[in-house]
Amino acid sequence: GSAAVLATMAIFGMIPQVVLGPFIGALVDRWNRRRVMIAADGLIALITLWLAVMFFLGRAEIWFLYVTALVRGTLGIFHWTAMQASTSLMVPKEHLSRVAGMNQTLQGILNIAAPPLGALLVGLLPLYGITFIDVGTAIIAILPLFFVRIPQPENASTELVTPRAVLRDVREGLRYIASWPGVMMVLAMAAMINFLLSPTGALTPLLVTRHFNGGVWHLSAVESSYSIGVIIGGLLLSIWGGYKKRIVTSMVFLVVMGVSSLAIGLMPSWLFWAAIGFNLLSGVTNPLVNGPLFAMLQDRISPEMQGRVFTLTASFSGMMAPLGMALAAPVADRLGIQVWWQIGGIVTLAMALGSFMIPAITAMEELGVKPE
C-alpha cells in the first residue's frame, strides 16, 4: 500500500542496468553465452524460490523485495545481453530486422496477456503460489537452451577475468563507440527520447483522469492500445523487414513517434478516442524505430564486442529515464499534464527530421567498420 516502497523497488530493479551494465557486458563478451543465459535464469529461479518460501512461512519482509529486485535486475541484464549478442551469430544479417520485429511482437502480446492473467491468479492463489509459478516459468525458459546450439565469437578473449581486465574491456567498448560518430549521435538522441518520453508512461493515469476525465476503463484502453500497437508494428517489421537502409526505417518512424506524442499533447478533452488512436500509432512506431537500429548494431559490431556495446548503450539511455521522471512531475503540476507530451513530441520530431541532414547518421551503416 506504499507508493514509496513501490518506487524504491523499481529503483532497485533499474540500478543494475545503469551502474553494472557495462561491466556485465564485458563479462558476457568473455564467457560462453549459452551458459550465461542458463545460469542467469537458474539463479533467478533460486532467488524467486527463496522469496516464495519466505512468503509461505510468513517471514517475508520489505527488504526481501528490494534484494530480489536488485538480484533479478542484475541477472536479467546478463540474460538480455547474452541473448542480444547471440542473435547476430545465429541469424543471417538480412533477417535481423525481421527477428527484431518478431521479438517486439512477442513482447507486445505478453504486455497484453500478463496483467489480466496476473490479476486472475491473485484472486485464485496465495502470493507464494503465484511466486512458485514464476519459478516454474524460469525452468521452462532454461530447458530449450540445453538443446539449442549457440555459436561463440571466434575472437573472444580467454584471458583470466580480473577487475583490471574487465575495466580494460569496458574502456575498449567506450573507445569503439566513440570511434563511430553516427552511433554516438544516435545514442544521444536515444538518451534524450528516454528523458522526454519515458515519463509519459508514469503520467498516463493523470492524463486520463485530469484531462480526459476518465476512469479505470479509460486508462485500460489507453495502455492496451499501446501494446496492441507494438504487436502491429512488430508484425509489420517481421513481414516487411524495413527499408534497405535500416537507419532510414528508424528515422522515418521516429518522425511518426514525435507526431503521435505531439498530437496526444494537443488533443482536447472531448477527443479521447482520437488520443487512443495516436497512442496506438505510438506503439506501432516502437518496434519500427528500435528493431532496425538494434539489427544494424548486431550486423555491424564485431561479435566479441557486442556485449559491451549493447550494455553501454542501454546504461547510457537508461540513466536518463529517472531524471526525466524527476523533472516531469513538477512541470506537469505547474504547466499542465499535456505539456510533457508536447515537449517530448516537438523535440523528438525535430531530432528525427534533423537526422536526415547529418551524413554521420544517414551513412552510419557504411561508416561503421567492424574491428579486425
Side-chain angles (χ1 to χ4, degrees), residues 168-192:
R168 188 185 67 240
D169 287 351
V170 172
R171 286 195 297 268
E172 286 179 1
L174 286 168
R175 282 195 297 268
Y176 182 85
I177 293 174
S179 68
W180 195 352
V183 169
M184 288 292 292
M185 293 178 187
V186 169
L187 270 182
M189 290 171 58
M192 182 58 68

Side-chain angles (χ1 to χ4, degrees), residues 43 56 74 125 153 164 211 236 268 270 321 357:
L43 291 171
F56 176 74
T74 302
L125 298 173
R164 179 175 293 181
H211 180 68
L236 178 60
W270 52 274
M357 295 179 280

Side-chain angles (χ1 to χ4, degrees), residues 50-60 64 128 132:
W50 169 72
L51 189 65
V53 170
M54 291 298 103
F55 276 120
F56 176 74
L57 297 176
R59 295 174 57 187
F64 289 3
Y128 64 81
F132 277 123

Side-chain angles (χ1 to χ4, degrees), residues 19-255:
V19 178
L20 302 178
F23 306 101
I24 291 173
L27 292 172
V28 169
D29 281 338
R30 287 172 169 271
W31 292 344
N32 182 290
R33 291 167 184 180
R34 183 168 72 96
R35 293 174 186 168
V36 167
M37 287 188 278
I38 291 173
D41 276 340
L43 291 171
I44 285 174
L46 286 177
I47 189 70
T48 308
L49 178 62
W50 169 72
L51 189 65
V53 170
M54 291 298 103
F55 276 120
F56 176 74
L57 297 176
R59 295 174 57 187
E61 298 181 27
I62 291 295
W63 69 266
F64 289 3
L65 300 178
Y66 299 156
V67 171
T68 302
L70 184 66
V71 174
R72 285 178 63 114
T74 302
L75 295 169
I77 294 296
F78 272 104
H79 184 280
W80 176 84
T81 306
M83 183 181 70
Q84 293 293 338
S86 298
T87 302
S88 61
L89 298 168
M90 301 175 69
V91 178
K93 65 179 183 179
E94 65 270 19
H95 296 306
L96 284 169
S97 293
R98 289 189 171 91
V99 169
M102 293 175 191
N103 278 329
Q104 295 278 348
T105 299
L106 290 172
Q107 287 300 317
I109 292 171
L110 291 175
N111 288 339
I112 292 175
L117 180 59
L120 175 65
L121 291 175
V122 166
L124 296 176
L125 298 173
L127 195 54
Y128 64 81
I130 298 171
T131 316
F132 277 123
I133 290 176
D134 198 31
V135 175
T137 57
I139 294 171
I140 292 172
I142 291 169
L143 288 176
L145 291 170
F146 286 102
F147 304 99
V148 175
R149 180 181 174 272
I150 298 177
Q152 299 303 304
E154 295 178 1
N155 301 322
S157 174
T158 57
E159 178 189 2
L160 182 67
V161 176
T162 63
R164 179 175 293 181
V166 172
L167 285 172
R168 188 185 67 240
D169 287 351
V170 172
R171 286 195 297 268
E172 286 179 1
L174 286 168
R175 282 195 297 268
Y176 182 85
I177 293 174
S179 68
W180 195 352
V183 169
M184 288 292 292
M185 293 178 187
V186 169
L187 270 182
M189 290 171 58
M192 182 58 68
I193 290 168
N194 266 2
F195 177 76
L196 293 169
L197 297 187
S198 290
T200 59
L203 294 174
T204 294
L206 296 179
L207 178 74
V208 171
T209 55
R210 287 187 191 177
H211 180 68
F212 291 110
N213 302 311
V216 62
W217 291 108
H218 296 84
L219 177 61
S220 176
V222 170
E223 295 185 339
S224 297
S225 67
Y226 186 86
S227 295
I228 292 170
V230 171
I231 294 173
I232 294 171
L235 286 172
L236 178 60
L237 183 60
S238 63
I239 295 169
W240 169 41
Y243 296 111
K244 184 176 181 181
K245 290 184 68 170
R246 286 171 284 210
I247 190 62
V248 172
T249 307
S250 292
M251 293 304 106
V252 165
F253 285 96
L254 190 60
V255 170

Side-chain angles (χ1 to χ4, degrees), residues 258-281:
V259 170
S260 301
S261 177
L262 181 59
I264 294 170
L266 297 174
M267 199 62 58
S269 60
W270 52 274
L271 277 178
F272 172 73
W273 293 108
I276 290 281
F278 279 108
N279 201 53
L280 184 144
L281 182 61

